[in-house]
Amino acid sequence: SQTIHQWPATLVQPVGSPLSLECTVEGTSNPNLYWYRQAAGRGLQLLFYSVGIGQISSEVPQNLSASRPQDRQFILSSKKLLLSDSGFYLCAWSGSGGGSTYEQYFGPGTRLTVT
Amino acid sequence: AQSVTQPDIHITVSEGASLELRCNYSYGATPYLFWYVQSPGQGLQLLLKYFSGDTLVQGIKGFEAEFKRSQSSFNLRKPSVHWSDAAEYFCAVVTGSGYNKLIFGAGTRLAVHP
């Protein structure tokens, strides 16, 4: 069966510091991968998605970037964090190709607090 | 553009009572629709999905949802709520972009009174 991991689970970082959040998927190949942010009391905002290694699409211009160095690894980064980057970051995967049934499966999330 | 509206931000029900969470979508073609649940501090878990066929779909944890094309709705129901159902519920629709992008509603927070 497929599983999705995110780490770290929680992170407290000062303003201006760098960020690296990691997401890995097991049990599937060539997944579509997604990064979402969920601010306190708000819905989900899609930040990035990827349909393959090195292929990243950005949904919202911002202080963040994403990379996909391996098929099942998705990384969210920032060079200098802002207070507004605080939130709950969720990684998700979905199947790709003609047999996809479109649903996304989410990881446990990373709680980021920028101080 | 596709959109999803969940009219109720907060709902409170008593344990054992029935539940209906509303979801309305805007999409030109036949939508692919989903309901997710999120417990505090957790990721989202897929409850059920609708692609085609029978308009009443069954999901996990005793939930069901009914697709009504004439009303552009996909409401989530449960006949008897348990205290463990307290969580936030999100309705979502696939955009049809080819990359499985989901559009989420703003969510409905469910509280359950004992």
Side-chain angles (χ1 to χ4, degrees), chain A residues 67-79:
Chain A
S67 62
R68 185 171 177 174
Q70 300 180 44
D71 181 46
R72 289 168 289 179
Q73 184 184 31
F74 205 22
I75 296 172
L76 184 69
S77 304
S78 174
K79 293 182 179 178

Side-chain angles (χ1 to χ4, degrees), chain B residues 68-114:
Chain B
K68 293 186 177 180
R69 183 187 300 275
S70 61
Q71 299 178 22
S72 297
S73 69
F74 188 56
N75 294 350
L76 182 71
R77 301 194 295 247
K78 187 169 185 178
S80 178
V81 172
H82 189 262
W83 64 266
S84 60
D85 293 324
E88 188 147 24
Y89 292 81
F90 293 94
C91 182
V93 63
V94 168
T95 64
S97 67
Y99 298 133
N100 301 355
K101 288 167 58 177
L102 293 182
I103 300 295
F104 285 88
T108 297
R109 184 167 295 279
L110 174 67
V112 180
H113 280 183

Side-chain angles (χ1 to χ4, degrees), chain B residues 4 13 17-18 20-23 25 27 29 34 38-40 42 44 49 52 57-58 60 67 72 74 81 86 98 111:
Chain B
V4 176
V13 299
S18 63
E20 182 169 26
L21 302 182
R22 295 183 291 165
C23 172
Y25 66 90
Y27 188 63
F34 308 88
Q38 184 181 32
S39 297
Q42 304 291 318
L44 276 70
K49 57 190 177 186
S52 63
V57 293
Q58 303 297 319
I60 61 172
F67 170 63
S72 297
F74 188 56
V81 172

Side-chain angles (χ1 to χ4, degrees), chain A residues 80-95:
Chain A
K80 291 185 177 182
L81 283 168
L82 306 173
L83 286 174
S84 57
D85 292 323
S86 292
F88 192 52
Y89 288 83
L90 289 158
C91 181
W93 74 273
S94 68

Side-chain angles (χ1 to χ4, degrees), chain A residues 31-75:
Chain A
N32 292 337
L33 296 172
Y34 310 83
W35 277 112
Y36 290 87
R37 177 169 59 203
Q38 189 176 30
R42 301 182 67 178
L44 288 89
Q45 179 187 36
L46 179 62
L47 302 176
F48 301 94
Y49 67 91
S50 171
V51 299
I53 295 173
Q55 301 179 62
I56 309 295
S57 296
S58 174
E59 285 292 298
V60 182
Q62 60 213 318
N63 185 41
L64 302 169
S65 62
S67 62
R68 185 171 177 174
Q70 300 180 44
D71 181 46
R72 289 168 289 179
Q73 184 184 31
F74 205 22
I75 296 172

